[in-house]
Amino acid sequence: YVSWTRDGQLITSAAATGLALLNPDSGVKTPILSQLSIPNFARACSDGHIVFSAAPAGKIQVNIWLADADGGNPRKLTSGKSDSLPVCSRDAKTVFHRDADGKPEKLPLEGGASQPIADLAVFSRIAISPDEKLAAFVTFRMGDPKEKLALVPLDSSQPPRYLDLERPRETSLASFGSGPVRFTADGKAVTYAVFDGTADNIWLQHLDGSPGKMLTDFKSDLIRDFDYSFDGKQLAIIRGHRESDIVLIRDSEK
């Protein structure tokens, strides 16, 4: 996974290798928070902090943590069995995440109890609109096999709004439930990775139902994650491909 920091650095996350700060100009990569177990899913906040998931020492669980931009002063925020996919609100006062049941929750960044925001399963990263009024994520509705984009009001008791995804997402991201969803800077559309049978590209879908459009034109590889810089001028994308071998095993005793 990848996330832009406020000062133009990149945070990379992987369960196998942990977190690192990457200078996009020099390519220098500096590991951070290596003292924690399986840190992953890092996202930068607008106030300079980062939020991420990690396992507390000696416990079989995963929680949401807060740390300085350089990895200093890590502090555990949640105590659930499996909390993941954190993201900060635009004002850096609230962190949203997925709980062990796959449902979206929120809690104050300064600490406190998590509160549910919708009785829905989350099958993507959670995106917060620029005006702080909506949370967007991919979900499924009972009896409907098609993925839906859920738009959940955060400042009222209004029910969620559901939109059909205009293009199918990449299969592995849909199955793992961790694919990126991003609001555009004006809050009028969301972007997500889609698969055309050959490659992944980033699709822009307008929330008012007007026709969407493809933002990238890659001819190969899959998109694992992407993130817009805080000034909206740069886009970082994690791309790659799968390799597999077929092995024939013969029984020499027969």
Side-chain angles (χ1 to χ4, degrees):
Y1 301 90
V2 66
S3 177
W4 286 99
T5 66
R6 192 77 197 186
D7 61 356
Q9 303 293 298
L10 292 170
I11 305 172
T12 61
S13 314
T17 58
L19 308 185
L21 283 174
L22 174 64
N23 185 311
D25 297 322
S26 67
V28 174
K29 195 173 185 179
T30 306
I32 59 173
L33 294 161
S34 56
Q35 74 273 28
L36 297 178
S37 178
I38 57 173
N40 202 4
F41 300 119
R43 281 287 184 263
C45 306
S46 61
D47 66 351
H49 287 97
I50 61 173
V51 288
F52 58 98
S53 65
K59 293 186 178 181
I60 305 175
Q61 65 186 53
V62 176
N63 302 123
I64 305 302
W65 296 64
L66 175 74
D68 297 339
D70 61 359
N73 302 310
R75 177 166 60 92
K76 188 166 70 74
L77 296 179
T78 68
S79 299
K81 294 180 179 179
S82 181
D83 303 320
S84 63
L85 305 179
V87 62
C88 288
S89 60
R90 297 299 179 101
D91 61 7
K93 293 181 179 180
T94 307
V95 60
F96 298 82
H97 67 92
R98 186 174 68 183
D99 69 6
D101 295 321
K103 306 291 182 66
E105 292 190 336
K106 67 176 182 178
L107 74 156
L109 207 64
E110 61 189 22
S114 294
Q115 297 178 342
I117 64 171
D119 188 21
L120 296 170
V122 178
F123 284 89
S124 71
R125 299 299 295 251
I126 300 171
I128 306 302
S129 62
D131 61 7
E132 310 274 353
K133 293 183 178 180
L134 290 174
F137 53 87
V138 175
T139 191
F140 285 91
R141 302 190 71 184
M142 187 67 69
D144 190 343
K146 295 179 62 177
E147 289 186 318
K148 301 289 185 180
L149 179 70
L151 300 172
V152 180
L154 296 175
D155 59 355
S156 73
S157 59
Q158 294 297 313
R161 176 186 171 200
Y162 301 97
L163 300 178
D164 288 330
L165 296 180
E166 292 179 332
R167 296 291 179 91
R169 292 197 302 156
E170 204 283 302
T171 305
S172 68
L173 294 185
S175 62
F176 283 113
S178 57
V181 171
R182 298 287 186 211
F183 274 97
T184 54
D186 60 10
K188 296 181 179 181
V190 296
T191 55
Y192 51 90
V194 300
F195 184 59
D196 64 4
T198 302
D200 275 0
N201 280 285
I202 297 175
W203 179 262
L204 182 146
Q205 179 168 339
H206 295 284
L207 302 185
D208 63 3
S210 57
K213 62 180 181 180
M214 202 73 78
L215 298 183
T216 60
D217 188 27
F218 298 121
K219 305 301 183 184
S220 64
D221 286 343
L222 306 176
I223 293 175
R224 181 65 185 178
D225 196 20
F226 65 88
D227 191 32
Y228 296 100
S229 60
F230 278 89
D231 61 9
K233 296 181 179 180
Q234 298 187 85
L235 176 65
I237 306 176
I238 298 290
R239 298 175 60 230
H241 62 275
R242 303 188 190 97
E243 293 186 358
S244 59
D245 294 315
I246 298 176
V247 179
L248 175 64
I249 300 176
R250 298 183 184 278
D251 187 347
S252 60
E253 298 298 321
K254 294 181 180 181

